[in-house]
Amino acid sequence: MIPLRALAALSLLALAVSTRAAISPACASEAAPVSRCTVFVALTGSDQNNGTVYSPFRTIQRGIDGARPGDTICVSDGTYREHLVMKHSGRDSAWITLAALRRRRVTIAPPRRDEHAINFNAKSYIAVRGLVIDGGMFGIVT
C-alpha cells in the first residue's frame, strides 16, 4: 500500500504494475492521444453508453469493468468521485492502460476518507498515466 499522504498533490503518475511491480515518474507527453484510445470516459457521458468517443461512459469504473488486454481507457478532464477496482489483468504484450486524454486534468477523489483511489486487486500489466489522486486514506493499493 502507498499512503495517499505520500502521493498528495502528485499531478502526474505513471504506475506500471506487473509481476515485477515498477513505479516510475510520468511526463505530460505520456497522456493518451485519441488515436490510442479504445474506451472513452467523460463526466458528460452515461454508463448506459457504449464507451466510444461520441458516446462515452460516465464513470471510470464502467470503463475498467469492460477493459481487456490491450485496451486504453481515456478519461476526459474533471474530478471523478469514485474508488476504482481493477477487474482484469493485461498481458506482457498487451497492457491495460488508464490515462488522461490528451494532457487533460483528471482527478480521482474517493467519495469517503477511508477508501482507496485505485485498487489493483492483485491484477497485473496495468499502467496508469497522467492522473491526480486526491483524498482518501490510501492512494493506490496493489
Side-chain angles (χ1 to χ4, degrees), residues 17-18 86-90 119-126 142:
V17 175
S18 70
M86 301 308 294
K87 302 289 184 174
H88 307 282
S89 290
N119 183 346
F120 282 99
N121 201 26
K123 303 300 183 244
S124 56
Y125 299 106
I126 296 167
T142 58

Side-chain angles (χ1 to χ4, degrees), residues 1-3 7 13 15 116-120 133 138-142:
M1 287 186 265
I2 303 170
L7 293 175
L13 170 70
L15 177 65
H116 55 272
I118 303 174
N119 183 346
F120 282 99
I133 296 174
F138 304 107
I140 298 171
V141 179
T142 58

Side-chain angles (χ1 to χ4, degrees), residues 14 20 26 29 35 39 51 55 62-64 78-79 88 105 137 140:
R20 295 186 259 296
S29 65
S35 62
V39 178
S55 187
R62 178 65 177 89
I64 288 171
T79 298
H88 307 282
R105 181 160 173 91
M137 182 178 288
I140 298 171

Side-chain angles (χ1 to χ4, degrees), residues 60 78-81 105-109 131-134:
I60 299 170
T79 298
Y80 293 80
R81 301 204 179 278
R105 181 160 173 91
V106 176
T107 302
I108 299 173
L131 304 179
V132 175
I133 296 174
D134 182 24

